[in-house]
């Protein structure tokens, strides 16, 4: 120890996150610790943040995702990498426009009333206010992002990249305009890509409608889940091999209600085994019917307006909402005897991922990207190991989608977003250009007269460029050269298709290499009952509320500990108490060590190995094993495993065992100097190892431990070093011996607790061991049993007899006997145990009756039933333990 006084130390008996966190974060940013120099020449480690939508407010999913990224970034920064974590936000086309339009509606206005320019000004202001809010919320969590490089998908440089990409792909013939079936949201009034459609199950019906064969009294019956679309039917179809209908192919039928003549076509798409074997063909409102229509040159009749109401092609139903029109149509069919029957049907229908209303297959003129050629390099990347998923099973999901990829509809009927870089002359001539075409680009036309396409691009069309557009592409900037490709993408499973796969394709097409090596997919946050947290269900937990109550460190470590690697976390409000307790435990043990330094300063590294006793050597062995385990877990993206290893080492090995073992027998006496050195050294390593997980409390403890008034670039944990080990202290035999001692102490403590022995009373301890070496080990360390288990005299051997009036426990290689005579009042203890047993049996009977009630099981919510079952199991276990204790006492 260096006994030099290090100045005035600001100590507090209790850790106060509110006082520490804002101060430290301000200091970190003031010191510029989160920035990265692309010209430093150091090995780089870069991550781009999955940009939160500007419509978002911070939720636990964001908190988990960004905590994981911050852990990886902080760890590599401590290892000396030039570390770049680029933050930013997404303009969120549909979601943002919907919110602003709702505000206008409240004011009695619309976007069309105020015009495109003013609408975009208003939306821009709204978006900037909101993106600043959520980025500030990420700061509250402790995210160590390079804030000077914050990007927004509508920034000028990123918008330039979007236009360049569109032009490039159009020149290659991979972007085209076509009149095709798209997913149409009548509420948002825009097209959606296949991956923006969420399928939901609905209780619906299958309606059987009769079509009269022309010139006959016979009918063909067709089953449909969308009867209103029959108003756009242009054919019926049968399978050419279906003997029932061979003679009917080519004949006309009469479309009910509209009385329009339509043909019967033969097409192999029709499944003779499904329904009646006859299908209605509505080319403008079903993707499969669209393909049938192309094969048979059928008319395409659109019956819907963009808002989902029925148009003039629907005849007398014109102007009705699609579902109101359905009701009126079905009533008319029934009145005319053309509705044969109705059956209940479980319908899986597409809904808009933003407004959650049912989408419509809709024939529309849109822009598309051909994806098949771009997909191949992205497929090869996975198969050759250049791209890895963690957990690996997500690779199959990625591969299945990539090998069955469809063209991507990229145009949206919105104003907010990247406007499509296509320009039209009055005669319809089209020019594709990143900017308004110059005179030489549109020869024969006045550039000023050209009108830009009204539509904007899908939000994901800018997001798929995020890993390189944010670093300055298409310019060859120092940042792009240094930080692309990035190392890892941390995200959730629901956007593997929407975002991850597309980024891989874009990376190969525009940069020639994969944008990241690894993709870490974390679980989806669920509530304590296993239900996915959502705003609509009201079962979410506000991370900022948790930070206010427990601190950011408690939030972070609790989320990681509660998220099993590759699985969904179930989180309740009490989840964060565990994190809070861990933070407080670390702070309190650091105070214990700091106060015993008595003004001296912690010794530097490496630690002098001389004069180490068994428990010193044991904690150093456990430390080195912990470092190796944490490094391995983090390298394999098993963050929860790493956190649990650290938690167990810090709480159990260090606090509960080592610190207790080195405490002197007499209160106020000094700790053995060498053990204090070891305790201080190990504490410093714990602070470094846990810093990426709980950066605030570890930085504060380190400051207090060294007696500093403030941190600086030379002293901050943020810049390391990260603990390393050669394994020189690892001693398997020693750890095995200590494990045996710990098992004995734990057994004695359990007996004392279960038998209600007063804490201050000492007792003798008798241990019958299976071999003499175990007994010698225990006898050599009797001092530790006295301090940790309140043992007065120890009797060990292979022939030790069980004393009278003793409680027992069996551990590996030994039987432990604790004489209780004089420690407790046996008769009173019998009464106490019996009273507790009777109470538990009454509770068990009550809950068992409830669980035997069929009505309760059928009608109670699932979480309530599971809670009652948990109670039953708990009561049964406690009754079992009490019975064992009573049996021991009754046998005396």
């Amino acid at each position: 120890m260096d006994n030099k006084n290090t100045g005035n130390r600001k100590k507090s008996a209790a850790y106060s996150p509110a006082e520490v966190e804002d101060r430290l974060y301000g200091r970190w940013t003031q010191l510029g610790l989160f920035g990265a120099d692309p010209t430093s020449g150091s090995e780089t480690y870069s991550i781009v943040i999955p940009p939160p939508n500007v419509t978002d407010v911070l939720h636990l999913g964001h908190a988990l995702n960004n905590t994981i990224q911050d852990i990886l970034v902080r760890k590599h920064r401590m290892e000396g990498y030039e570390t770049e974590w680029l933050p930013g936000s997404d303009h969120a086309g549909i979601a943002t426009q919907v919110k602003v339009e709702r505000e206008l509606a409240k004011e009695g206005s619309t976007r069309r009333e105020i015009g495109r320019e003013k609408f975009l000004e208003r939306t821009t202001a709204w978006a900037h206010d909101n993106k600043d809010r959520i980025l500030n919320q990420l700061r509250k969590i402790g995210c160590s992002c390079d804030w000077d490089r914050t990007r927004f998908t509508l920034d000028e440089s990123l918008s330039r990249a979007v236009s360049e990409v569109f032009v490039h792909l159009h020149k290659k013939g991979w972007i085209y305009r076509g009149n095709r079936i798209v997913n149409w949201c009548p509420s948002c009034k825009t097209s959606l890509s296949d991956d923006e459609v969420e399928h939901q199950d609905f209780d619906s019906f299958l309606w059987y409608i009769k079509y009269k064969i022309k010139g006959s009294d016979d009918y063909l019956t067709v089953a449909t889940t969308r009867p209103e679309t029959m108003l756009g039917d242009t054919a019926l179809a049968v399978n050419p091999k279906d003997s029932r209908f061979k003679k009917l192919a080519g004949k006309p039928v009469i479309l009910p209600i509209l009385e329009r003549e339509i043909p019967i076509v033969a097409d192999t798409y029709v499944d003779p085994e499904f329904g009646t074997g006859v299908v209605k063909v509505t080319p403008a409102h079903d993707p499969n019917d669209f393909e049938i229509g192309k094969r048979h040159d059928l008319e395409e009749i659109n019956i819907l307006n963009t808002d989902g109401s029925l148009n003039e092609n629907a005849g007398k139903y014109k102007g009705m909402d699609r579902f109101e029109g359905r009701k009126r149509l079905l009533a008319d069919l029934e009145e005319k005897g053309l509705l044969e029957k109705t059956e209940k049907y479980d319908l899986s229908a597409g809904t808009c991922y933003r407004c959650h209303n049912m989408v419509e297959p809709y024939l529309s003129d849109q822009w598309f990207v051909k994806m098949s050629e771009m997909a191949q390099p992205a497929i090869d990347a996975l198969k050759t190991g250049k791209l890895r998923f963690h957990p690996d099973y997500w690779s199959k999901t990625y591969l299945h989608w990539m090998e069955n990829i469809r063209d991507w509809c990229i145009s949206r009927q919105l104003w907010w977003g990247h406007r499509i870089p296509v320009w039209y002359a009055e005669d319809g001539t089209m020019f594709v250009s990143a900017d308004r075409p110059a005179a030489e680009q549109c020869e024969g036309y006045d550039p000023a007269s050209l009108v830009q396409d009204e539509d904007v691009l899908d939000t994901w069309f800018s997001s798929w460029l995020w890993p390189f557009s944010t670093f300055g592409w298409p310019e060859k900037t120092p940042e792009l050269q240094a930080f692309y490709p990035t190392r890892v993408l941390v995200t959730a499973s629901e956007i593997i298709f929407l975002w991850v796969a597309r980024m891989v394709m874009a990376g190969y097409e525009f940069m020639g290499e994969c944008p990241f090596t690894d993709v870490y997919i974390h679980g989806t946050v669920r509530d304590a009952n296993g239900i996915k947290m959502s705003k609509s269900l009201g079962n979410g937990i506000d991370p900022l509320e948790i930070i206010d109550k427990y601190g950011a460190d408690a939030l972070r470590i609790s989320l990681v500990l509660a998220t099993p690697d590759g699985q969904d976390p179930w989180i309740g409000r009490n989840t964060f108490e565990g994190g809070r307790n861990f933070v407080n435990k670390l702070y309190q043990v650091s105070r214990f060590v700091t106060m015993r330094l008595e003004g001296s300063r912690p010794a530097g590294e490496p630690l002098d190995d001389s004069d180490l006793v068994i428990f010193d050597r044991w904690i150093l062995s456990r430390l080195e094993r912990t470092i190796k385990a944490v490094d391995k877990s983090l390298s394999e993206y098993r963050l929860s495993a790493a956190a649990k290893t650290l938690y167990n080492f810090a709480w159990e090995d260090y606090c509960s065992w080592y610190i207790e073992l080195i405490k002197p027998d007499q209160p106020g006496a000094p700790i053995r100097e060498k053990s204090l050195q070891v305790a201080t050294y190990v504490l410093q390593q714990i602070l470094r190892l846990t810093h990426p997980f709980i950066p605030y409390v570890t930085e504060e403890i380190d400051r207090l431990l060294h007696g500093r008034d403030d941190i600086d670039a030379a002293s901050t944990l943020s810049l390391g070093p990260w603990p390393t080990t050669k394994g020189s202290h690892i001693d398997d035999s020693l750890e095995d011996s200590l494990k045996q001692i710990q098992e004995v102490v734990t057994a004695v403590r359990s007996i004392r607790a279960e038998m209600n022995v007063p804490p201050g009373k000492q007792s003798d301890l008798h241990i019958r061991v299976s071999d003499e070496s175990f007994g010698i080990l225990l006898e050599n360390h009797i001092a530790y049993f006295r301090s940790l288990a309140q043992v007065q005299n120890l009797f060990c051997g292979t022939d030790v007899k069980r004393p009278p009036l003793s409680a027992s426990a069996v551990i590996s290689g030994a039987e432990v006997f604790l004489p209780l005579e004089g420690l407790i009042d046996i008769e009173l203890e019998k009464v106490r145990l019996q009273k507790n047993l009777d109470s538990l049996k009454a509770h068990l009977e009550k809950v068992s009756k409830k669980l035997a009630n069929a009505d309760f099981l059928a009608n109670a919510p699932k979480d309530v039933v599971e809670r009652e079952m948990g109670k039953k199991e708990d009561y049964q276990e406690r009754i079992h333990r009490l019975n064992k204790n009573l049996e021991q006492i009754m046998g005396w």
Side-chain angles (χ1 to χ4, degrees):
M1 293 286 170
D2 182 340
N3 290 315
K4 179 182 176 182
N5 191 297
T6 55
N8 179 39
R9 299 187 180 191
K10 298 175 182 177
K11 300 176 184 176
S12 174
Y15 178 62
S16 172
E19 184 275 325
V20 171
E21 290 175 357
D22 287 344
R23 168 170 54 81
L24 279 180
Y25 199 90
R27 184 62 175 156
W28 287 333
T29 53
Q30 182 184 23
L31 292 170
L33 301 180
F34 305 154
D37 180 2
T39 64
S40 70
S42 299
E43 186 175 355
T44 61
Y45 183 89
S46 57
I47 293 180
V48 289
I49 199 171
N53 290 339
V54 294
T55 56
D56 284 341
V57 290
L58 195 70
H59 56 64
L60 283 185
H62 291 123
L64 173 62
N65 178 276
N66 287 282
T67 294
I68 290 169
Q69 292 178 80
D70 197 42
I71 290 168
L72 296 172
V73 166
R74 285 181 180 272
K75 192 254 189 181
H76 284 85
R77 188 181 291 122
M78 292 177 73
E79 290 181 311
Y81 288 85
E82 194 67 53
T83 307
E84 170 64 23
W85 184 16
L86 187 143
S89 53
D90 192 290
H91 65 280
I94 296 176
T96 303
Q97 178 154 324
V98 166
K99 284 189 176 291
V100 176
E101 287 200 70
R102 283 175 183 165
E103 286 188 359
L104 287 172
K106 289 177 183 177
E107 299 167 12
S109 184
T110 67
R111 64 178 166 120
R112 301 214 174 266
E113 281 184 17
I114 66 173
R116 187 167 195 146
E117 185 176 347
K118 286 189 175 180
F119 178 79
L120 291 179
E121 286 176 3
R122 178 163 179 159
T123 309
T124 299
W126 187 94
H128 279 280
D129 287 345
N130 280 271
K131 76 181 179 67
D132 290 344
R133 185 188 70 247
I134 193 166
L135 294 179
N136 284 331
Q137 290 171 338
L138 294 179
R139 289 181 174 92
K140 289 288 290 182
I141 295 175
C143 294
S144 58
C145 299
D146 185 358
W147 298 108
D148 290 340
R149 289 196 172 96
T150 301
R151 300 289 184 261
F152 179 48
T153 49
L154 284 178
D155 284 348
E156 185 177 346
S157 60
L158 274 69
S159 297
R160 181 73 187 177
V162 168
S163 296
E164 292 287 344
V165 164
F166 187 98
V167 172
H168 168 88
L169 294 177
H170 186 267
K171 283 181 180 177
K172 293 187 76 167
W174 289 357
I175 282 185
Y176 64 94
R177 191 172 182 88
N179 198 38
R180 297 182 54 179
I181 293 287
V182 297
N183 304 294
W184 186 265
C185 176
S187 297
C188 299
K189 297 184 181 64
T190 185
S191 61
L192 303 170
S193 70
D194 291 340
D195 308 305
E196 292 172 315
V197 176
E198 297 176 344
H199 282 82
Q200 293 184 22
D201 294 330
F202 295 90
D203 293 330
S204 187
F205 297 93
L206 201 57
W207 290 277
Y208 289 78
I209 301 172
K210 295 162 65 176
Y211 290 66
K212 191 174 189 301
I213 300 171
K214 185 178 180 183
S216 168
D217 292 332
D218 295 330
Y219 292 83
L220 287 178
T221 301
V222 175
T224 180
T225 58
R226 298 162 64 218
E228 69 280 4
T229 62
M230 63 161 282
L231 300 170
D233 286 356
T234 55
L236 296 186
V238 296
N239 191 293
K241 295 181 181 179
D242 192 335
S243 59
R244 294 173 295 174
F245 306 115
K246 269 188 176 181
K247 294 180 181 179
L248 293 178
K251 290 189 176 182
V253 295
I254 305 301
L255 179 67
I257 305 299
L258 294 184
E259 301 292 325
R260 191 172 68 240
E261 188 177 310
I262 59 176
I264 301 171
V265 299
D267 196 282
T268 54
Y269 168 77
V270 181
D271 180 2
E273 303 300 320
F274 181 78
T276 64
V278 183
V279 299
K280 56 192 286 302
V281 183
T282 319
H285 295 287
D286 184 276
N288 296 310
D289 293 4
F290 178 80
E291 298 300 331
I292 294 174
K294 290 298 182 187
R295 289 193 288 272
H296 297 277
D297 196 26
L298 299 176
E299 186 181 1
E300 297 161 349
I301 300 176
N302 176 20
I303 64 162
L304 292 174
N305 295 310
T306 57
D307 63 357
S309 62
L310 298 171
N311 65 21
E312 64 279 359
N313 292 325
K316 65 179 181 179
Y317 309 104
K318 175 185 175 182
M320 295 182 188
D321 171 76
R322 52 184 165 157
F323 297 118
E324 176 60 28
R326 174 185 294 181
K327 289 179 184 177
R328 293 283 293 275
L329 173 64
L330 288 169
D332 290 344
L333 287 169
E334 190 165 23
E335 183 182 332
K336 292 178 178 292
L338 297 176
L339 186 61
E340 186 174 290
K341 61 178 178 176
T342 301
E343 293 178 347
K344 288 184 177 180
Y345 188 76
D346 295 329
L347 176 67
S348 177
T351 61
C352 175
Y353 79 116
R354 281 300 172 193
C355 69
H356 306 296
N357 287 314
M358 201 176 291
V359 301
E360 289 287 342
Y362 187 79
L363 187 63
S364 181
D365 197 24
Q366 303 287 343
W367 289 96
F368 296 86
V369 181
K370 295 178 181 177
M371 303 301 290
S372 56
E373 289 189 55
M374 273 193 287
Q376 195 54 53
I379 292 170
D380 294 340
L382 185 73
K383 290 183 174 180
T384 58
K386 294 177 181 177
L387 176 67
R388 299 182 294 264
F389 278 83
H390 309 273
D392 180 63
Y393 56 75
W394 290 112
S395 299
K396 294 180 181 178
T397 304
Y398 169 90
L399 203 58
H400 175 77
W401 186 76
M402 294 297 286
E403 290 177 340
N404 295 276
I405 199 166
R406 299 183 185 181
D407 288 358
W408 175 15
C409 176
I410 57 170
S411 48
R412 298 291 180 270
Q413 288 61 57
L414 305 169
W415 285 356
W416 176 245
H418 296 95
R419 199 163 174 180
I420 292 175
V422 174
W423 312 78
Y424 301 96
E426 285 187 13
D427 62 5
T429 302
M430 183 179 75
F431 303 93
V432 177
S433 173
D435 301 304
R436 180 178 290 276
E440 59 271 19
Q441 293 176 284
C442 56
E443 203 170 322
Y445 296 91
D446 177 8
S449 69
L450 301 180
V451 177
Q452 189 173 0
D453 197 304
E454 288 287 315
D455 291 348
V456 300
L457 290 162
D458 179 6
T459 296
W460 299 103
F461 197 85
S462 54
S463 300
W464 76 323
L465 314 178
W466 187 253
F468 53 88
S469 66
T470 50
F471 291 125
W473 187 92
E475 304 301 323
K476 293 181 178 179
T477 63
E479 289 82 1
L480 188 63
Q481 293 175 317
F483 301 131
Y484 187 93
T486 63
R487 292 295 186 94
V488 61
L489 177 75
V490 180
T491 189
S493 61
E494 54 262 31
I495 55 174
I496 289 177
F497 314 138
L498 284 166
W499 193 43
V500 179
R502 287 172 179 162
M503 281 192 289
V504 176
M505 289 186 280
Y508 276 106
E509 177 64 22
F510 298 102
M511 293 296 296
E513 56 186 322
C514 200
F516 28 73
T517 320
D518 297 277
V519 179
Y520 176 61
I521 304 293
H522 59 73
T524 299
V525 178
R526 299 181 180 277
D527 66 16
N529 298 312
I531 300 169
K532 182 179 177 180
M533 287 188 179
S534 72
K535 188 188 299 184
S536 59
L537 292 175
N539 63 342
I541 298 174
D542 182 357
L544 297 182
E545 178 187 326
I546 300 302
I547 291 173
D548 288 343
K549 188 172 183 179
Y550 299 126
D553 286 333
L555 172 79
R556 291 164 63 106
I557 193 68
S558 298
L559 285 172
V560 177
L561 286 169
T563 305
D565 297 313
Q567 300 177 44
D568 294 346
W570 290 27
I571 293 176
R573 292 185 182 278
N574 61 350
T575 300
F576 303 98
E577 293 174 6
R580 181 227 23 218
N581 294 342
F582 180 66
V583 169
N584 287 342
K585 184 79 169 179
L586 205 55
Y587 187 76
Q588 292 302 324
V589 79
S590 73
R591 289 188 71 247
F592 172 85
V593 173
T594 304
M595 287 189 292
R596 277 146 188 84
L597 291 176
E598 296 179 343
S600 64
R601 188 173 55 194
E605 300 177 38
L607 181 73
D608 180 7
D609 286 356
S610 63
D611 195 28
L612 297 174
V613 295
I614 183 172
F615 284 105
D616 297 334
R617 291 188 288 114
W618 170 77
I619 195 65
L620 292 173
S621 179
R622 294 294 303 136
L623 171 64
E624 292 203 348
R625 196 178 297 279
T626 296
I627 294 171
K628 291 169 74 76
V630 169
D631 279 340
K632 185 174 188 296
S633 293
L634 290 177
S635 70
E636 296 171 350
Y637 296 97
R638 294 186 301 113
L639 276 76
S640 184
K644 286 172 183 173
T645 299
L646 287 171
Y647 182 97
N648 291 335
F649 175 72
W651 191 297
E652 298 296 334
D653 293 346
Y654 185 73
C655 297
S656 297
W657 288 104
Y658 183 69
I659 293 297
E660 292 301 315
L661 286 164
I662 67 172
K663 284 180 179 178
D665 292 335
Q666 299 300 320
I671 293 175
R672 179 176 172 273
E673 184 175 354
K674 191 64 181 187
S675 292
L676 182 57
Q677 287 182 13
V678 172
T680 307
Y681 169 76
V682 174
L683 177 59
Q684 288 177 287
Q685 304 312 303
I686 289 173
L687 296 178
R688 295 184 187 282
L689 288 166
T690 55
H691 180 69
F693 296 83
I694 45 175
Y696 290 113
V697 70
T698 50
E699 187 81 274
E700 181 68 359
I701 291 172
D702 189 69
R703 180 186 73 81
L704 295 172
L705 192 64
H706 289 85
R708 304 186 187 102
D709 289 331
D710 209 343
I711 61 169
D712 56 33
S715 65
T716 177
L717 290 181
S718 296
L719 299 183
W722 176 258
T724 58
T725 176
K726 295 180 180 178
S728 59
H729 286 111
I730 293 179
D731 188 330
D732 294 336
S733 176
L734 175 65
E735 289 190 37
D736 287 342
S737 296
L738 264 293
K739 185 177 180 181
Q740 290 177 306
I741 293 173
Q742 288 172 324
E743 285 180 349
V744 173
V745 172
T746 300
V748 174
R749 286 174 170 175
S750 295
I751 292 172
R752 291 176 65 92
E754 289 182 3
M755 291 299 181
N756 209 27
V757 176
K761 285 192 176 183
Q762 287 192 323
S763 65
D764 289 344
L765 179 61
H766 300 249
I767 304 176
R768 183 162 59 225
V769 294
S770 58
D771 64 79
E772 291 291 349
S773 62
F774 191 2
I776 293 170
L777 171 71
L778 298 178
E779 287 173 345
N780 287 342
H781 297 91
I782 185 172
Y784 299 114
F785 292 108
R786 287 194 176 121
S787 62
L788 295 176
Q790 294 292 305
V791 171
Q792 189 167 18
N793 299 301
L794 177 65
F795 304 92
C796 274
T798 55
D799 57 353
V800 166
K801 305 296 183 185
R802 177 172 183 166
L805 300 177
S806 64
S808 68
V810 178
I811 62 171
S812 178
E815 283 184 89
V816 178
F817 307 110
L818 191 73
L820 295 174
E821 188 174 13
L823 293 181
I824 61 173
D825 184 318
I826 303 297
E827 293 306 316
L828 280 178
E829 185 62 12
K830 287 180 183 178
V831 172
R832 186 186 72 84
L833 289 175
Q834 188 62 55
K835 185 177 179 181
N836 287 348
L837 187 60
D838 292 342
S839 174
L840 284 172
K841 285 181 176 178
H843 286 304
L844 177 61
E845 184 180 4
K846 183 178 179 181
V847 75
S848 296
K849 284 182 179 178
K850 185 180 289 187
L851 289 170
N853 186 320
D855 289 339
F856 171 75
L857 295 176
N859 299 315
K862 182 182 177 183
D863 61 296
V864 173
V865 174
E866 289 176 351
R867 188 161 59 243
E868 294 303 306
M869 291 175 69
K871 285 182 184 178
K872 181 178 179 180
E873 291 175 6
D874 178 55
Y875 295 148
Q876 288 172 330
E877 172 61 24
R878 288 161 65 185
I879 288 170
H880 174 71
R881 292 204 309 269
L882 283 175
N883 274 325
K884 283 183 65 177
N885 292 341
L886 263 176
E887 284 170 13
Q888 291 200 58
I889 291 180
M890 294 299 185
W892 296 342

